[in-house]
Amino acid sequence: MVKGIAEIEALMANQVLVLDSATGTYLQQHGSTGCNDALCLTNPELIRQMHSDYIAAGADIIETNSFNCNCFSLADYNLEDKVYEISRRAAEIAREAAGEKLVAGSIGPTNKTLSMSTDVNEPGAREVSFQEMYDTYRDQVNGLIDGGADILLVETVFDTL
């Protein structure tokens, strides 16, 4: 059940909410060596178990397994066209495991930047356009929302633009 802003504010007014722990570390300890985000499609049981373990440990907020779910990072695995699908599935799995707990849609950085030029002789040179960056984050956010995330958690993003 997706919670609204009033419900989330009421929870925060009455208790300190504990966020789950390090997804990447957990998955590496369970044998993951590739694209952790793709596990939402290839091994959803592992992702569900991870969420359940963090809930059992006392987490009130479960992060989706979608930290690197953007077309630039997923391109390393030829999955750049799966941003929406993986994001949605990540939120669905977290939602299934979370029950009444909150689900935070995890949004991490890309492996590209808009803030720095790729050419010291051309200050305006960029690897990607603002529109391309916008499009991949839009796809990720739409997938997370459509999959049932209560909140969006932007984390470790270094690019001010």
Side-chain angles (χ1 to χ4, degrees), residues 11-80:
L11 282 171
M12 291 188 312
N14 293 316
Q15 70 186 71
V16 172
L17 299 177
V18 177
L19 182 66
D20 67 6
S21 194
T23 298
T25 302
Y26 181 99
L27 295 174
Q28 287 172 355
Q29 290 174 342
H30 287 81
S32 177
T33 58
C35 179
N36 287 339
D37 302 64
L39 293 171
C40 295
L41 303 178
T42 62
N43 194 351
E45 287 306 316
L46 174 59
I47 303 305
R48 191 174 290 106
Q49 184 60 53
M50 175 186 65
H51 295 318
S52 296
D53 288 349
Y54 283 134
I55 290 168
D60 299 302
I61 305 171
I62 301 304
E63 284 187 63
T64 59
N65 181 40
S66 57
F67 181 79
N68 288 309
C69 198
N70 62 74
C71 69
F72 308 112
S73 299
L74 292 178
D76 293 342
Y77 306 96
N78 296 315
L79 295 170
E80 58 270 29

Side-chain angles (χ1 to χ4, degrees), residues 72-94:
F72 308 112
S73 299
L74 292 178
D76 293 342
Y77 306 96
N78 296 315
L79 295 170
E80 58 270 29
D81 62 335
K82 301 286 185 195
V83 173
Y84 175 86
E85 181 182 356
I86 293 172
S87 296
R88 182 176 177 144
R89 192 66 187 121
E92 289 171 346
I93 295 166

Side-chain angles (χ1 to χ4, degrees), residues 66-67 69 83 87 106-108 136-144:
S66 57
F67 181 79
C69 198
V83 173
S87 296
S106 176
I107 302 169
T136 198
Y137 278 126
R138 179 201 59 221
D139 292 346
Q140 184 181 28
V141 167
N142 286 339
L144 293 170

